[in-house]
Structure formats: structure tokens, C-alpha cells
Amino acid sequence: MNAEFWVAFGTGLVALAALITSSAGAARARVKTIEDAYIARYWQILDRLPAPALVAESGTACEPDELKAVRLYLRLCEDELELRQLGWVTHNTWQQWRPGIQAQLAQWPVADEWTPLRDGQRAPHQFTLLRRLAAHPDYDPYQPRGLGGHITRMWRGL
């Protein structure tokens, strides 16, 4: 084998390493973009909640628009759990989101809407991941399965 072969081989290895690195970086950037979009959605919903809820005070009945915001918040939480389950939310972000979700589920007005949902009185086939989180405080819906799951975890920076 001559020098030209080794130069070509080395160049190929460098190109392959660059491709892998850039692809992994793009996957991590996509995860960050998804997380940022859900954070923005959270703040949009929070802006629509009743003023007492923003300082963890109890209030009376919600106006229709406020009730819609509460329901949108519950849907947002379920969506966040689904994203985590699919591997699109990092471990560090999940460690911040989980206690926030749990705290909101216990506070008015979210608690008033959540209680009948949690108990299955309403929408028994929806919010299954949120029910699991409410029942198990350390619940993490992301469970990498097999070698492919672990590769995905490393690839996306989870």
C-alpha cells in the first residue's frame, strides 16, 4: 500500500467523523428547538391563566377563556410527556419540567380540572402518561429499549 492510499483513507475517515459529528449536532439542535417551542407554548398558556393562579393563590370559578387555558395546559403536559417518551426531551430538561408539572397539578385552577381527569371520571382514555406521573413522582416516560434506544439517546444528547 502506497502513501496515496493512506492519504485517501485518512481523508475518508476525517470526512466520516465530520459527517457523524455534524449529524449528531443537528439532532441535538432539533431536540433543543422542540424544547424551546414547548417552553414558548407554556408561557403563552400561562399568560391566559387567572391572575391568582400565577402566584399560587386559590380563586373562584374560572371564566371560559381561563378554563380553556387550564385545559390547554393539561394537554401541553401530556404532550411534553409524549415527547419525553419518544426521546425528544433531554434528561436535564425533564428534571426541570417534571416537578413543575407536579406542582401545577396540585394548585388551583389546574387541580380543579385535573382531579376528575386523574380519577377517570372524564376522558378516561386520555392523559394516560399524566396519570402515571401523578401516581409515581419519579416517573420518567423515556425508557430506551435495546441498543437502538441507547444509540438514539447518545445521538440526541439525552
Side-chain angles (χ1 to χ4, degrees):
M1 297 199 186
N2 58 22
E4 288 133 6
F5 169 80
W6 289 110
V7 168
F9 183 74
T11 303
L13 286 178
V14 169
L16 181 62
L19 176 67
I20 291 170
T21 302
S22 66
S23 295
R28 289 184 177 130
R30 184 172 179 203
V31 168
K32 181 68 175 144
T33 300
I34 290 169
E35 290 175 350
D36 289 346
Y38 274 78
I39 290 168
R41 194 169 147 204
Y42 166 78
W43 285 108
Q44 289 172 345
I45 292 169
L46 205 65
D47 286 343
R48 297 171 60 187
L49 289 177
L54 300 178
V55 290
E57 291 179 0
S58 293
T60 57
C62 290
E63 297 293 323
D65 285 345
E66 296 169 338
L67 183 58
K68 182 178 179 182
V70 170
R71 291 176 178 169
L72 285 171
Y73 175 75
L74 291 169
R75 178 59 52 204
L76 172 73
C77 293
E78 184 73 8
D79 290 348
E80 290 171 347
L81 283 152
E82 289 172 359
L83 284 175
R84 176 67 180 154
Q85 184 177 48
L86 294 170
W88 290 107
V89 173
T90 64
H91 177 75
N92 290 340
T93 299
W94 180 244
Q95 292 303 313
Q96 295 172 5
W97 285 3
R98 181 178 55 207
I101 292 169
Q102 291 167 327
Q104 284 293 336
L105 292 177
Q107 294 175 6
W108 178 86
V110 176
D112 290 356
E113 279 299 303
W114 171 239
T115 301
L117 291 168
R118 179 196 63 212
D119 297 340
Q121 297 168 4
R122 289 189 359 226
H125 302 294
Q126 297 179 30
F127 302 103
T128 55
L129 296 173
L130 197 53
R131 284 189 185 97
R132 283 189 208 147
L133 178 64
H136 306 286
D138 293 332
Y139 176 64
D140 185 349
Y142 181 68
Q143 301 298 321
R145 290 175 178 83
L147 180 60
H150 290 289
I151 290 171
T152 299
R153 183 178 182 187
M154 290 185 323
W155 192 257
R156 294 181 185 165
L158 303 176

